Each structure stands twice: as structure tokens, then as C-alpha cells.
Amino acid sequence: MGDTTIYLMQSGGYRSKRDRADRLYIVYDVYAGSPAEAGALAYTVREYLLEQLPGQALNGVLVLDVREEDAPSWHPDMQSLEPAYSGEICLYLVTDD
């Protein structure tokens, strides 16, 4: 078994207003030593993304809102058979002028 790991990967998105606003889809994968640990950590990641990320600014970009696309679900790694949960969110970003 590997280490506890969280992956965040852009899975899509589009520019919703020229040079002003973007919509990004982010998939998160959480790997841990047991299904219970992976699930608990996935829900902690979910809570942070949905509750703490809106309003955060970084490098001239403001996270306007976060919407859940897919709640964490059991998704074990097919090669390593490590316990894993995956979920997906949508970020609404605007330039932070």
C-alpha cells in the first residue's frame, strides 16, 4: 500500500466571459491505507473545497463559487488496488481586480 495521497486534476471547463471569468471542473482522488480512511479524508477534502475555497484569491484570480458535480464515491485504483474515493467540483473564477 502507498502513502495517503490527494490528487487534484482539471477535468474540463470553459471561458464564460472574455478575459474575465472561467469555469473549471476539478476531479479529486483520495488514496489511503483503508477504505474508511480514504472515505473520511475524501469528505474532509469535499468540505474544504465547498466551504473554505469560495472567496479565496490567488495570483489575480478570485474563486467566486464552488459547486459539487459529484460527491465522493468509492473508486479503488484498478492497478494497485489501493483504497480510493473520487469526487468532482466546479470552480467559478473571475479576475481579482
Side-chain angles (χ1 to χ4, degrees):
M1 292 280 164
D3 294 328
T4 299
T5 306
I6 300 169
Y7 292 104
L8 298 169
M9 298 160 284
Q10 183 179 350
S11 61
Y14 59 87
R15 173 67 46 101
S16 60
K17 186 172 181 182
R18 184 178 309 156
D19 295 328
R20 293 288 305 160
D22 287 302
R23 182 176 181 174
L24 297 177
Y25 295 96
I26 306 292
V27 170
Y28 56 93
D29 293 329
V30 177
Y31 292 80
S34 72
E37 184 182 352
L41 185 53
Y43 276 92
T44 299
V45 169
R46 172 188 186 242
E47 181 178 353
Y48 175 82
L49 294 171
L50 294 175
E51 303 298 331
Q52 301 300 317
L53 200 53
Q56 297 292 322
L58 179 64
N59 294 333
V61 177
L62 175 66
V63 178
L64 205 61
D65 199 7
V66 179
R67 184 180 78 198
E68 185 167 57
E69 295 294 316
D70 193 17
S73 60
W74 174 243
H75 193 259
D77 187 276
M78 297 305 286
Q79 291 179 331
S80 69
L81 301 177
E82 287 183 89
Y85 274 75
S86 294
E88 186 173 21
I89 60 160
C90 178
L91 295 175
Y92 295 90
L93 307 171
V94 294
T95 55
D96 189 20
D97 296 346

Coordinates of all heavy atoms in Angstrom, one line a residue:
M1 N 0.8 -1.2 0.0 CA 0.0 0.0 0.0 C 0.9 1.2 0.0 O 1.9 1.3 0.6 CB -0.9 0.0 1.2 CG -2.0 -1.0 1.3 SD -3.3 -0.5 0.3 CE -4.1 -2.1 0.1
G2 N 0.4 2.3 -0.7 CA 1.1 3.5 -0.8 C 0.8 4.5 0.4 O 0.1 4.1 1.3
D3 N 1.3 5.7 0.3 CA 1.0 6.7 1.2 C -0.3 7.3 1.0 O -0.9 7.2 -0.1 CB 2.1 7.8 1.1 CG 3.5 7.3 1.5 OD1 3.6 6.4 2.4 OD2 4.5 7.8 0.9
T4 N -0.8 8.0 2.1 CA -2.1 8.7 1.9 C -1.8 9.9 0.9 O -0.8 10.6 1.1 CB -2.5 9.3 3.3 OG1 -2.8 8.2 4.1 CG2 -3.8 10.1 3.1
T5 N -2.6 10.0 -0.1 CA -2.3 11.0 -1.2 C -3.7 11.6 -1.6 O -4.7 10.9 -1.8 CB -1.6 10.3 -2.4 OG1 -0.5 9.6 -1.9 CG2 -1.3 11.3 -3.4
I6 N -3.6 12.9 -2.0 CA -4.8 13.6 -2.6 C -4.3 14.1 -3.9 O -3.3 14.9 -3.9 CB -5.3 14.7 -1.7 CG1 -5.7 14.1 -0.3 CG2 -6.4 15.5 -2.3 CD1 -6.0 15.2 0.7
Y7 N -5.0 13.8 -5.0 CA -4.7 14.3 -6.3 C -5.9 15.3 -6.7 O -7.0 14.9 -6.5 CB -4.6 13.2 -7.3 CG -3.5 12.3 -7.2 CD1 -3.6 11.0 -6.7 CD2 -2.2 12.7 -7.6 CE1 -2.5 10.2 -6.6 CE2 -1.1 11.9 -7.5 CZ -1.3 10.6 -7.0 OH -0.2 9.8 -6.8
L8 N -5.5 16.4 -7.2 CA -6.5 17.4 -7.8 C -6.1 17.5 -9.3 O -5.0 17.9 -9.6 CB -6.4 18.7 -7.1 CG -6.8 18.8 -5.7 CD1 -6.4 20.1 -5.1 CD2 -8.3 18.5 -5.5
M9 N -7.1 17.3 -10.2 CA -6.8 17.3 -11.6 C -7.9 18.0 -12.3 O -9.1 17.8 -12.1 CB -6.7 15.9 -12.2 CG -5.5 15.1 -11.6 SD -5.7 13.3 -11.8 CE -7.0 13.0 -10.6
Q10 N -7.6 19.0 -13.2 CA -8.6 19.6 -14.0 C -9.1 18.6 -15.0 O -8.4 17.9 -15.7 CB -8.0 20.8 -14.8 CG -9.0 21.6 -15.6 CD -8.5 22.8 -16.3 OE1 -7.3 23.2 -16.1 NE2 -9.3 23.4 -17.1
S11 N -10.5 18.5 -15.1 CA -11.1 17.6 -16.0 C -11.9 18.3 -17.1 O -12.5 17.6 -17.9 CB -12.1 16.7 -15.2 OG -13.1 17.4 -14.6
G12 N -11.9 19.6 -17.1 CA -12.5 20.3 -18.2 C -12.8 21.7 -17.7 O -12.4 22.2 -16.7
G13 N -13.7 22.4 -18.5 CA -14.1 23.8 -18.2 C -14.1 24.6 -19.4 O -13.9 24.1 -20.6
Y14 N -14.4 25.9 -19.3 CA -14.5 26.8 -20.4 C -14.5 28.3 -19.9 O -14.7 28.6 -18.7 CB -15.8 26.6 -21.2 CG -17.1 26.7 -20.5 CD1 -17.7 27.9 -20.3 CD2 -17.7 25.6 -19.9 CE1 -18.9 28.1 -19.6 CE2 -18.9 25.7 -19.2 CZ -19.4 27.0 -19.1 OH -20.6 27.1 -18.4
R15 N -14.1 29.1 -20.8 CA -14.1 30.6 -20.6 C -15.6 31.1 -20.7 O -16.2 30.9 -21.8 CB -13.2 31.3 -21.6 CG -13.2 32.8 -21.6 CD -12.6 33.5 -20.4 NE -11.4 33.0 -19.8 CZ -10.2 33.6 -20.0 NH1 -10.0 34.6 -20.8 NH2 -9.1 33.1 -19.4
S16 N -16.1 31.6 -19.6 CA -17.5 32.1 -19.7 C -17.7 33.5 -20.1 O -18.8 33.9 -20.4 CB -18.3 31.7 -18.4 OG -17.6 32.4 -17.3
K17 N -16.6 34.3 -19.9 CA -16.7 35.7 -20.3 C -15.3 36.2 -20.6 O -14.3 35.9 -19.9 CB -17.2 36.6 -19.2 CG -17.4 38.0 -19.6 CD -18.2 38.8 -18.5 CE -18.4 40.2 -19.0 NZ -19.0 41.0 -18.0
R18 N -15.1 36.7 -21.8 CA -13.8 37.1 -22.3 C -12.9 37.8 -21.3 O -13.2 38.8 -20.8 CB -13.9 37.9 -23.6 CG -12.6 38.2 -24.2 CD -12.7 39.0 -25.5 NE -13.7 38.4 -26.3 CZ -14.3 39.1 -27.3 NH1 -14.1 40.3 -27.4 NH2 -15.2 38.5 -28.0
D19 N -11.7 37.2 -21.0 CA -10.7 37.8 -20.1 C -11.3 38.1 -18.8 O -10.7 39.0 -18.1 CB -10.1 39.0 -20.8 CG -9.3 38.6 -22.0 OD1 -8.7 37.5 -22.1 OD2 -9.2 39.5 -22.9
R20 N -12.4 37.5 -18.3 CA -12.9 37.9 -17.0 C -13.3 36.7 -16.1 O -13.2 36.8 -14.9 CB -14.2 38.8 -17.2 CG -13.9 40.1 -17.8 CD -13.2 41.1 -16.9 NE -13.9 41.2 -15.6 CZ -13.4 41.7 -14.5 NH1 -12.1 42.0 -14.5 NH2 -14.1 41.8 -13.4
A21 N -13.9 35.7 -16.7 CA -14.4 34.6 -15.9 C -14.2 33.3 -16.5 O -14.3 33.1 -17.8 CB -15.9 34.8 -15.7
D22 N -13.9 32.3 -15.7 CA -13.7 30.9 -16.2 C -14.5 30.0 -15.3 O -14.8 30.3 -14.1 CB -12.2 30.5 -16.0 CG -11.4 31.2 -17.1 OD1 -11.6 31.0 -18.3 OD2 -10.4 31.9 -16.7
R23 N -14.8 28.8 -15.9 CA -15.5 27.7 -15.1 C -14.6 26.5 -15.3 O -14.3 26.1 -16.5 CB -16.8 27.5 -15.7 CG -17.6 26.5 -15.0 CD -19.0 26.4 -15.7 NE -19.8 25.4 -15.0 CZ -21.1 25.3 -15.3 NH1 -21.7 26.0 -16.2 NH2 -21.8 24.3 -14.7
L24 N -14.1 25.9 -14.2 CA -13.2 24.8 -14.3 C -13.8 23.6 -13.5 O -14.4 23.8 -12.4 CB -11.8 25.1 -13.6 CG -11.0 26.2 -14.3 CD1 -9.7 26.4 -13.5 CD2 -10.7 25.9 -15.7
Y25 N -13.7 22.4 -14.1 CA -14.1 21.2 -13.4 C -12.8 20.6 -12.8 O -11.8 20.4 -13.5 CB -14.8 20.3 -14.4 CG -16.1 20.9 -14.9 CD1 -16.1 21.5 -16.1 CD2 -17.2 20.8 -14.1 CE1 -17.3 22.1 -16.6 CE2 -18.4 21.3 -14.6 CZ -18.5 22.0 -15.8 OH -19.6 22.5 -16.2
I26 N -12.9 20.2 -11.6 CA -11.7 19.6 -10.9 C -12.2 18.3 -10.3 O -13.1 18.2 -9.5 CB -11.2 20.5 -9.7 CG1 -10.9 21.9 -10.2 CG2 -10.0 19.9 -9.0 CD1 -9.7 22.0 -11.2
V27 N -11.4 17.2 -10.6 CA -11.6 15.9 -10.0 C -10.6 15.7 -8.9 O -9.4 16.1 -9.0 CB -11.4 14.8 -11.1 CG1 -11.4 13.4 -10.4 CG2 -12.5 14.8 -12.1
Y28 N -11.1 15.2 -7.8 CA -10.1 14.9 -6.7 C -10.2 13.4 -6.4 O -11.3 12.8 -6.3 CB -10.4 15.8 -5.4 CG -11.8 15.7 -4.9 CD1 -12.1 14.8 -3.8 CD2 -12.8 16.6 -5.3 CE1 -13.4 14.8 -3.3 CE2 -14.0 16.5 -4.8 CZ -14.3 15.6 -3.8 OH -15.6 15.6 -3.3
D29 N -9.0 12.8 -6.3 CA -8.9 11.4 -5.9 C -8.1 11.4 -4.6 O -7.1 12.0 -4.4 CB -8.0 10.7 -7.0 CG -8.8 10.6 -8.3 OD1 -10.0 10.5 -8.3 OD2 -8.1 10.5 -9.3
V30 N -8.6 10.6 -3.7 CA -8.0 10.4 -2.3 C -7.7 9.0 -2.1 O -8.6 8.1 -2.2 CB -9.0 10.9 -1.2 CG1 -8.4 10.7 0.1 CG2 -9.4 12.4 -1.5
Y31 N -6.4 8.7 -1.9 CA -5.9 7.4 -1.6 C -5.5 7.3 -0.1 O -4.9 8.2 0.4 CB -4.7 7.1 -2.5 CG -5.0 7.0 -3.9 CD1 -5.1 8.1 -4.7 CD2 -5.1 5.7 -4.5 CE1 -5.4 8.0 -6.1 CE2 -5.4 5.6 -5.9 CZ -5.5 6.8 -6.6 OH -5.8 6.7 -8.0
A32 N -5.7 6.2 0.5 CA -5.4 6.0 1.9 C -5.2 4.5 2.2 O -5.4 3.7 1.3 CB -6.4 6.6 2.8
G33 N -4.8 4.2 3.4 CA -4.5 2.8 3.8 C -5.7 1.9 3.9 O -5.6 0.7 3.8
S34 N -6.9 2.5 4.1 CA -8.1 1.7 4.3 C -9.2 2.4 3.6 O -9.2 3.6 3.4 CB -8.4 1.4 5.8 OG -8.9 2.6 6.3
P35 N -10.3 1.7 3.2 CA -11.5 2.3 2.7 C -12.1 3.4 3.6 O -12.5 4.5 3.2 CB -12.5 1.2 2.4 CG -11.6 0.0 2.2 CD -10.4 0.2 3.2
A36 N -12.1 3.1 4.9 CA -12.7 4.1 5.9 C -11.9 5.3 5.9 O -12.4 6.4 5.9 CB -12.8 3.4 7.2
E37 N -10.5 5.2 5.9 CA -9.7 6.4 6.0 C -9.8 7.2 4.7 O -9.8 8.4 4.7 CB -8.2 5.9 6.2 CG -7.2 7.0 6.4 CD -5.8 6.5 6.5 OE1 -5.6 5.3 6.6 OE2 -4.9 7.4 6.5
A38 N -9.8 6.5 3.5 CA -9.9 7.2 2.3 C -11.2 7.9 2.2 O -11.3 9.1 1.7 CB -9.8 6.2 1.1
G39 N -12.3 7.3 2.6 CA -13.6 7.9 2.6 C -13.7 9.1 3.5 O -14.2 10.2 3.1
A40 N -13.2 9.0 4.7 CA -13.2 10.1 5.7 C -12.4 11.3 5.2 O -12.9 12.5 5.2 CB -12.7 9.7 7.0
L41 N -11.3 11.0 4.6 CA -10.4 12.1 4.1 C -11.1 12.7 2.8 O -11.0 14.0 2.6 CB -9.0 11.6 3.7 CG -8.0 12.6 3.3 CD1 -7.9 13.8 4.3 CD2 -6.7 12.0 3.1
A42 N -11.7 11.9 2.0 CA -12.4 12.5 0.8 C -13.5 13.5 1.2 O -13.7 14.5 0.6 CB -13.0 11.4 -0.1
Y43 N -14.2 13.1 2.2 CA -15.3 14.0 2.7 C -14.7 15.3 3.4 O -15.3 16.4 3.3 CB -16.3 13.3 3.6 CG -17.3 12.6 2.8 CD1 -17.2 11.3 2.4 CD2 -18.5 13.3 2.3 CE1 -18.1 10.7 1.5 CE2 -19.4 12.7 1.5 CZ -19.2 11.4 1.1 OH -20.1 10.7 0.3
T44 N -13.5 15.2 4.0 CA -12.9 16.4 4.5 C -12.4 17.3 3.4 O -12.6 18.5 3.5 CB -11.6 15.9 5.4 OG1 -12.1 15.1 6.5 CG2 -10.9 17.2 5.9
V45 N -11.9 16.7 2.3 CA -11.5 17.5 1.1 C -12.7 18.2 0.5 O -12.7 19.3 0.2 CB -10.8 16.6 0.1 CG1 -10.6 17.3 -1.2 CG2 -9.4 16.1 0.6
R46 N -13.8 17.4 0.4 CA -15.0 17.9 -0.2 C -15.5 19.2 0.7 O -15.8 20.2 0.1 CB -16.1 16.9 -0.1 CG -17.5 17.3 -0.5 CD -18.4 16.2 -0.2 NE -19.8 16.5 -0.6 CZ -20.8 16.6 0.2 NH1 -20.7 16.3 1.5 NH2 -22.0 16.9 -0.3
E47 N -15.5 19.0 2.0 CA -15.9 20.1 2.8 C -15.1 21.3 2.7 O -15.6 22.5 2.6 CB -15.9 19.7 4.3 CG -16.4 20.8 5.2 CD -16.5 20.3 6.7 OE1 -16.2 19.2 7.0 OE2 -16.7 21.2 7.5
Y48 N -13.7 21.1 2.6 CA -12.8 22.3 2.4 C -13.1 23.0 1.1 O -13.3 24.2 1.0 CB -11.4 21.9 2.5 CG -10.5 23.0 2.2 CD1 -10.2 24.0 3.2 CD2 -10.0 23.2 0.9 CE1 -9.4 25.1 2.9 CE2 -9.2 24.4 0.6 CZ -8.9 25.3 1.6 OH -8.2 26.4 1.3
L49 N -13.2 22.2 0.0 CA -13.4 22.8 -1.3 C -14.7 23.6 -1.4 O -14.8 24.7 -2.0 CB -13.4 21.7 -2.4 CG -12.0 21.0 -2.6 CD1 -12.2 19.8 -3.5 CD2 -11.0 22.0 -3.1
L50 N -15.8 23.0 -0.8 CA -17.1 23.6 -0.9 C -17.3 24.8 0.1 O -18.0 25.8 -0.2 CB -18.2 22.6 -0.7 CG -18.4 21.5 -1.7 CD1 -19.4 20.5 -1.3 CD2 -18.7 22.1 -3.1
E51 N -16.7 24.7 1.3 CA -17.0 25.7 2.3 C -15.9 26.7 2.5 O -16.1 27.9 2.9 CB -17.2 25.0 3.6 CG -18.3 24.0 3.6 CD -19.7 24.6 3.3 OE1 -19.9 25.8 3.6 OE2 -20.5 23.9 2.7
Q52 N -14.6 26.4 2.3 CA -13.5 27.3 2.5 C -12.9 27.9 1.3 O -12.3 29.0 1.4 CB -12.4 26.5 3.3 CG -12.8 25.9 4.6 CD -13.3 27.0 5.6 OE1 -12.8 28.0 5.7 NE2 -14.4 26.7 6.2
L53 N -13.0 27.3 0.1 CA -12.4 27.8 -1.1 C -13.1 29.0 -1.7 O -12.4 30.0 -2.1 CB -12.3 26.7 -2.1 CG -11.3 26.9 -3.2 CD1 -9.9 27.2 -2.7 CD2 -11.3 25.7 -4.1
P54 N -14.4 29.1 -1.6 CA -15.1 30.4 -2.2 C -14.6 31.6 -1.4 O -14.4 31.6 -0.2 CB -16.5 30.1 -1.9 CG -16.7 28.6 -1.9 CD -15.4 28.1 -1.2
G55 N -14.3 32.6 -2.2 CA -13.8 33.9 -1.6 C -12.2 34.0 -1.5 O -11.7 35.0 -1.3
Q56 N -11.5 32.9 -1.8 CA -10.1 32.9 -1.8 C -9.5 33.5 -3.1 O -10.1 33.2 -4.1 CB -9.5 31.4 -1.6 CG -9.9 30.7 -0.3 CD -9.3 31.4 0.9 OE1 -8.1 31.8 0.8 NE2 -10.0 31.5 2.0
A57 N -8.4 34.2 -3.0 CA -7.8 34.8 -4.1 C -6.4 34.3 -4.2 O -5.7 34.2 -3.2 CB -7.8 36.3 -4.0
L58 N -5.9 34.1 -5.4 CA -4.5 33.7 -5.7 C -4.1 34.2 -7.0 O -4.7 33.9 -8.0 CB -4.4 32.2 -5.6 CG -3.0 31.6 -5.8 CD1 -2.0 32.0 -4.7 CD2 -3.1 30.1 -5.8
N59 N -2.9 34.9 -7.1 CA -2.3 35.3 -8.3 C -3.3 36.0 -9.2 O -3.4 35.8 -10.4 CB -1.7 34.2 -9.1 CG -0.5 33.6 -8.3 OD1 0.2 34.3 -7.6 ND2 -0.2 32.3 -8.5
G60 N -4.2 36.9 -8.7 CA -5.1 37.7 -9.5 C -6.4 37.0 -9.9 O -7.1 37.5 -10.7
V61 N -6.6 35.8 -9.3 CA -7.9 35.1 -9.6 C -8.6 34.9 -8.3 O -8.1 34.5 -7.3 CB -7.5 33.7 -10.2 CG1 -8.8 32.9 -10.5 CG2 -6.8 33.9 -11.5
L62 N -9.9 35.2 -8.4 CA -10.8 35.0 -7.2 C -11.7 33.9 -7.4 O -12.3 33.7 -8.5 CB -11.6 36.3 -7.0 CG -12.7 36.3 -5.9 CD1 -12.0 36.2 -4.5 CD2 -13.6 37.5 -6.0
V63 N -11.8 33.0 -6.4 CA -12.8 31.9 -6.5 C -14.1 32.4 -6.1 O -14.4 32.7 -4.9 CB -12.4 30.7 -5.6 CG1 -13.4 29.6 -5.6 CG2 -11.0 30.2 -6.0
L64 N -15.0 32.6 -7.1 CA -16.3 33.2 -6.8 C -17.2 32.2 -6.1 O -17.9 32.6 -5.1 CB -16.9 33.6 -8.1 CG -17.9 34.8 -8.1 CD1 -17.3 36.0 -7.5 CD2 -18.4 35.0 -9.5
D65 N -17.2 31.0 -6.6 CA -18.1 30.0 -6.0 C -17.6 28.6 -6.4 O -16.8 28.4 -7.3 CB -19.5 30.1 -6.5 CG -20.6 29.4 -5.6 OD1 -20.2 29.0 -4.5 OD2 -21.7 29.4 -6.0
V66 N -18.0 27.6 -5.6 CA -17.7 26.2 -5.9 C -19.0 25.4 -5.8 O -19.8 25.6 -4.9 CB -16.7 25.6 -4.8 CG1 -16.4 24.2 -5.1 CG2 -15.4 26.5 -4.8
R67 N -19.2 24.6 -6.8 CA -20.4 23.7 -6.9 C -20.0 22.3 -7.0 O -19.0 21.9 -7.7 CB -21.2 24.1 -8.1 CG -22.5 23.3 -8.2 CD -23.3 23.6 -9.4 NE -22.8 23.0 -10.5 CZ -23.0 23.3 -11.8 NH1 -23.7 24.3 -12.1 NH2 -22.4 22.6 -12.8
E68 N -20.7 21.4 -6.3 CA -20.4 20.0 -6.4 C -21.0 19.4 -7.6 O -22.2 19.6 -7.9 CB -20.9 19.3 -5.1 CG -20.6 17.8 -5.0 CD -20.8 17.2 -3.7 OE1 -22.0 17.3 -3.2 OE2 -19.9 16.8 -3.1
E69 N -20.2 18.7 -8.4 CA -20.6 17.9 -9.5 C -20.9 16.5 -9.2 O -21.8 15.9 -9.7 CB -19.6 18.1 -10.7 CG -19.4 19.4 -11.2 CD -20.6 20.0 -11.9 OE1 -21.2 19.2 -12.7 OE2 -21.0 21.1 -11.7
D70 N -20.0 15.9 -8.4 CA -20.1 14.5 -8.0 C -19.6 14.3 -6.6 O -18.4 14.6 -6.3 CB -19.4 13.7 -9.0 CG -19.6 12.2 -8.9 OD1 -20.7 11.8 -8.3 OD2 -18.9 11.4 -9.4
A71 N -20.4 13.9 -5.7 CA -19.9 13.6 -4.3 C -18.9 12.5 -4.3 O -18.8 11.7 -5.2 CB -21.1 13.2 -3.4
P72 N -18.1 12.4 -3.2 CA -17.1 11.4 -3.1 C -17.7 10.0 -3.2 O -18.8 9.7 -2.6 CB -16.4 11.6 -1.8 CG -16.6 13.0 -1.5 CD -18.0 13.4 -2.1
S73 N -17.1 9.1 -4.0 CA -17.6 7.8 -4.2 C -16.4 6.8 -4.2 O -15.3 7.2 -4.6 CB -18.5 7.6 -5.4 OG -17.8 7.9 -6.6
W74 N -16.7 5.6 -3.8 CA -15.7 4.5 -3.8 C -15.2 4.3 -5.2 O -15.9 4.1 -6.2 CB -16.3 3.3 -3.2 CG -15.5 2.0 -3.3 CD1 -15.7 0.9 -4.0 CD2 -14.3 1.8 -2.6 NE1 -14.7 0.0 -3.7 CE2 -13.8 0.5 -2.8 CE3 -13.5 2.6 -1.7 CZ2 -12.6 0.0 -2.3 CZ3 -12.3 2.0 -1.2 CH2 -11.9 0.8 -1.5
H75 N -13.8 4.4 -5.4 CA -13.2 4.2 -6.7 C -11.8 3.7 -6.5 O -10.8 4.4 -6.7 CB -13.2 5.6 -7.4 CG -12.9 5.5 -8.8 ND1 -11.7 5.8 -9.3 CD2 -13.7 5.2 -9.9 CE1 -11.7 5.7 -10.6 NE2 -12.9 5.3 -11.0
P76 N -11.7 2.4 -6.1 CA -10.4 1.9 -5.9 C -9.5 1.9 -7.2 O -10.0 1.8 -8.3 CB -10.6 0.4 -5.5 CG -12.0 0.1 -6.0 CD -12.7 1.4 -6.0
D77 N -8.2 2.1 -7.0 CA -7.3 2.1 -8.1 C -7.2 0.7 -8.7 O -7.0 -0.3 -8.1 CB -5.9 2.5 -7.6 CG -4.9 2.7 -8.7 OD1 -4.3 1.7 -9.2 OD2 -4.7 3.9 -9.1
M78 N -7.4 0.7 -10.0 CA -7.5 -0.6 -10.7 C -6.2 -1.3 -10.9 O -6.1 -2.5 -11.0 CB -8.1 -0.4 -12.1 CG -9.6 0.2 -12.1 SD -10.7 -0.8 -11.1 CE -10.9 -2.2 -12.2
Q79 N -5.1 -0.5 -10.8 CA -3.8 -1.2 -11.0 C -3.2 -1.6 -9.6 O -2.7 -2.7 -9.4 CB -2.8 -0.3 -11.7 CG -3.1 -0.1 -13.1 CD -2.2 0.8 -13.8 OE1 -1.6 1.7 -13.2 NE2 -2.0 0.6 -15.1
S80 N -3.2 -0.7 -8.7 CA -2.6 -1.0 -7.4 C -3.6 -1.6 -6.4 O -3.2 -2.1 -5.3 CB -2.0 0.3 -6.7 OG -3.0 1.2 -6.4
L81 N -4.9 -1.5 -6.7 CA -5.9 -1.9 -5.8 C -6.0 -1.2 -4.5 O -6.5 -1.7 -3.5 CB -5.9 -3.5 -5.6 CG -6.0 -4.3 -6.8 CD1 -5.8 -5.8 -6.5 CD2 -7.3 -4.0 -7.6
E82 N -5.3 0.0 -4.4 CA -5.4 0.8 -3.2 C -6.8 1.4 -3.0 O -7.5 1.7 -4.0 CB -4.4 2.0 -3.3 CG -2.9 1.6 -3.2 CD -2.0 2.8 -3.3 OE1 -1.8 3.3 -2.2 OE2 -1.6 3.1 -4.4
P83 N -7.2 1.5 -1.7 CA -8.5 2.1 -1.5 C -8.5 3.6 -1.9 O -7.5 4.3 -1.6 CB -8.6 2.0 0.1 CG -7.7 1.0 0.5 CD -6.5 1.0 -0.5
A84 N -9.5 4.0 -2.6 CA -9.6 5.4 -3.1 C -11.0 5.8 -3.2 O -11.9 5.0 -3.5 CB -8.9 5.5 -4.4
Y85 N -11.2 7.1 -3.1 CA -12.5 7.8 -3.3 C -12.3 8.9 -4.3 O -11.2 9.6 -4.2 CB -13.1 8.3 -2.0 CG -13.9 7.3 -1.2 CD1 -13.3 6.3 -0.5 CD2 -15.3 7.4 -1.2 CE1 -14.0 5.4 0.2 CE2 -16.0 6.5 -0.5 CZ -15.4 5.5 0.2 OH -16.1 4.6 0.9
S86 N -13.2 9.2 -5.1 CA -13.1 10.3 -6.1 C -14.4 11.1 -6.0 O -15.5 10.6 -5.8 CB -13.0 9.7 -7.5 OG -11.8 9.1 -7.7
G87 N -14.2 12.4 -6.3 CA -15.3 13.4 -6.4 C -15.0 14.4 -7.4 O -13.9 14.5 -7.9
E88 N -15.9 15.3 -7.7 CA -15.7 16.4 -8.7 C -16.4 17.6 -8.3 O -17.5 17.6 -7.8 CB -16.1 15.9 -10.1 CG -15.8 16.9 -11.2 CD -16.1 16.4 -12.6 OE1 -16.9 15.5 -12.7 OE2 -15.5 17.0 -13.5
I89 N -15.7 18.8 -8.5 CA -16.3 20.1 -8.2 C -16.2 20.9 -9.4 O -15.5 20.6 -10.4 CB -15.6 20.8 -7.0 CG1 -14.2 21.0 -7.3 CG2 -15.9 20.0 -5.7 CD1 -13.5 22.0 -6.5
C90 N -16.9 22.0 -9.4 CA -16.8 23.1 -10.4 C -16.4 24.4 -9.8 O -17.1 24.8 -8.8 CB -18.2 23.2 -11.2 SG -18.2 24.5 -12.4
L91 N -15.4 25.0 -10.2 CA -14.9 26.3 -9.7 C -15.4 27.4 -10.6 O -15.2 27.3 -11.9 CB -13.4 26.4 -9.6 CG -12.7 25.4 -8.7 CD1 -11.2 25.6 -8.9 CD2 -13.1 25.7 -7.3
Y92 N -15.9 28.5 -10.1 CA -16.3 29.7 -10.8 C -15.2 30.7 -10.5 O -15.1 31.1 -9.3 CB -17.7 30.1 -10.5 CG -18.7 29.2 -10.9 CD1 -19.1 28.2 -10.0 CD2 -19.3 29.2 -12.2 CE1 -20.1 27.2 -10.4 CE2 -20.2 28.3 -12.6 CZ -20.6 27.3 -11.7 OH -21.6 26.4 -12.1
L93 N -14.4 31.1 -11.4 CA -13.3 32.0 -11.2 C -13.5 33.3 -12.0 O -14.0 33.3 -13.1 CB -12.0 31.4 -11.7 CG -11.7 30.0 -11.1 CD1 -10.4 29.4 -11.9 CD2 -11.4 30.0 -9.7
V94 N -13.1 34.4 -11.3 CA -13.1 35.7 -12.0 C -11.7 36.4 -11.7 O -11.0 36.1 -10.8 CB -14.2 36.6 -11.5 CG1 -15.6 36.1 -11.9 CG2 -14.2 36.9 -10.0
T95 N -11.3 37.3 -12.6 CA -10.1 38.1 -12.3 C -10.4 39.0 -11.1 O -11.5 39.5 -10.9 CB -9.7 39.0 -13.5 OG1 -10.8 39.8 -13.8 CG2 -9.4 38.1 -14.7
D96 N -9.4 39.1 -10.2 CA -9.5 39.8 -9.0 C -8.9 41.2 -9.1 O -7.8 41.4 -8.8 CB -8.7 39.0 -7.9 CG -9.0 39.5 -6.5 OD1 -10.0 40.3 -6.3 OD2 -8.2 39.2 -5.6
D97 N -9.7 42.1 -9.7 CA -9.3 43.5 -10.0 C -9.4 44.3 -8.7 O -10.4 44.4 -8.1 CB -10.1 44.1 -11.1 CG -9.8 43.3 -12.4 OD1 -8.9 42.5 -12.5 OD2 -10.6 43.5 -13.3

